[in-house]
Amino acid sequence: MSTAGFMVSTVDDRKSVVVLSGAGMSAESGLKTFRDSDGLWEGHKVEDVATPEAWQRNPEAVLRFYNERRRQLMRAEPNDGHLALARLEEGYEVSVITQNVDDLHERAGSSSVLHLHGELDVARSTVDDRLLYRLHGKEIRLGDVCDKGSQLRPHVVWFGESVPAMEVAEPIVRGADVLMVVGTSLLVYPAASLIDFAESAARKVWISPKESADVLPLGFEKVLKTAAIGIPDLVSDLLAEEKLD
Ligand code: APR
């Protein structure tokens, strides 16, 4: 028997689901959102801990704040929403684009996670952005330096800093068959502008326990549920649809 002319296709013809997640994604894992209650983030004003000016003024306080966030993250676990997104890979090509600096998507098993605002468990050189160091839960202290001898800082995007990962994120959103927006107020730019890159034919779903006021453009289905409840429901529906196709 000849196999001439027989071609094995290596093209991934699964549909693409793109998830844009924000702080609400991790709320049920015990990590606080930014803008929900008192206008403070874990008791701090954003401009005291998450700006280049704060770093210039009081680097020790900034390091202490992020060291505490990192300790808190080490104790947190992915919730049912994170776990459902990992399960969705059984039937779809899933890309997670997150504004969160936690690693709960990765720990739940998602294989493609882009961090728009950096990662809490990574330190970065203050003279060379390419020098990154995984912390494995350790603290950054004043005097901890990179290979070029300069102070290390958290690898997070502060207010007023650019978001280099946007260039990578935009084409991913353009390729979405389904865009799932979860747990974000869509108030912080440029991340919020990503939803505008979705094709008009893409299915667009918003999952959040609160109404979206006027931040959502037309064409979004709204699921007024928390991430740990709304995502598993949607994932079950999406997986069932694929099996029926
Ligand atoms: N499940 C889903 N959504 C939730 C939940 C939940 N359990 N709890 C709260 N939310 C929603 C809130 O109603 C709100 O719309 O999550 C959203 C959280 O919004 P923000 O606190 O503004 O967080 P986010 O949009 O991620 O902020 C963007 O701003 O502070 C900076 O860099 C930081 O990445 C962050 C960015």
Side-chain angles (χ1 to χ4, degrees):
M1 195 168 93
S2 165
T3 55
F6 180 79
M7 283 189 29
V8 178
S9 169
T10 55
V11 175
D12 187 348
D13 56 3
R14 291 175 308 165
K15 284 192 186 148
S16 157
V17 178
V18 176
V19 181
L20 175 62
S21 67
M25 179 80 226
S26 301
E28 286 148 290
S29 295
L31 304 181
K32 288 232 176 85
T33 60
F34 302 100
R35 293 178 183 78
D36 263 337
S37 45
D38 45 11
L40 299 178
W41 181 20
E42 296 281 3
H44 295 261
K45 285 194 216 148
V46 156
E47 57 271 24
D48 289 342
V49 288
T51 60
E53 294 74 24
W55 176 246
Q56 293 304 328
R57 222 170 25 234
N58 193 347
E60 203 163 8
V62 173
L63 290 178
R64 201 180 318 122
F65 175 76
Y66 283 98
N67 287 337
E68 179 50 40
R69 301 281 72 70
R70 194 175 306 108
R71 266 194 295 278
Q72 184 187 40
L73 173 58
M74 293 301 136
R75 297 190 297 265
E77 297 289 340
N79 63 53
D80 286 347
H82 296 104
L83 294 168
L85 290 177
R87 194 166 68 245
L88 187 60
E89 294 187 20
E90 288 167 15
Y92 292 80
E93 190 195 334
V94 182
S95 304
V96 178
I97 301 173
T98 187
Q99 297 166 86
N100 299 344
V101 294
D102 67 56
D103 59 354
L104 297 178
H105 282 298
E106 288 93 332
R107 281 202 253 151
S110 282
S111 57
S112 169
V113 183
L114 177 67
H115 286 272
L116 287 174
H117 294 162
E119 290 177 73
L120 200 45
D121 197 40
V122 176
R124 185 169 89 222
S125 161
T126 40
V127 292
D128 184 341
D129 287 354
R130 294 164 307 177
L131 294 180
L132 301 172
Y133 305 88
R134 172 81 41 201
L135 289 161
H136 299 289
K138 287 202 300 283
E139 296 195 338
I140 309 177
R141 300 206 182 95
L142 270 191
D144 289 346
V145 294
C146 71
D147 290 330
K148 293 187 175 175
S150 84
Q151 175 65 43
L152 290 176
R153 60 165 275 180
H155 178 47
V156 298
V157 174
W158 288 325
F159 284 92
E161 294 188 316
S162 63
V163 184
M166 282 295 288
E167 270 179 41
V168 185
E170 287 165 14
I172 296 175
V173 176
R174 247 185 232 115
D177 296 301
V178 180
L179 176 64
M180 203 189 292
V181 178
V182 190
T184 172
S185 58
L186 291 176
L187 292 176
V188 173
Y189 283 78
S193 68
L194 279 174
I195 60 170
D196 301 327
F197 289 87
E199 296 286 342
S200 51
R203 179 178 175 193
K204 303 177 192 79
V205 187
W206 153 275
I207 301 176
S208 181
K210 274 198 205 151
E211 256 302 342
S212 55
D214 52 2
V215 293
L216 270 191
L218 289 174
F220 268 86
E221 299 162 37
K222 289 188 198 170
V223 176
L224 293 179
K225 293 180 184 167
T226 68
I229 294 171
I231 299 176
D233 288 354
L234 180 60
V235 162
S236 298
D237 289 351
L238 287 169
L239 288 172
E241 271 173 32
E242 270 311 281
K243 288 195 184 104
L244 292 175
D245 272 352

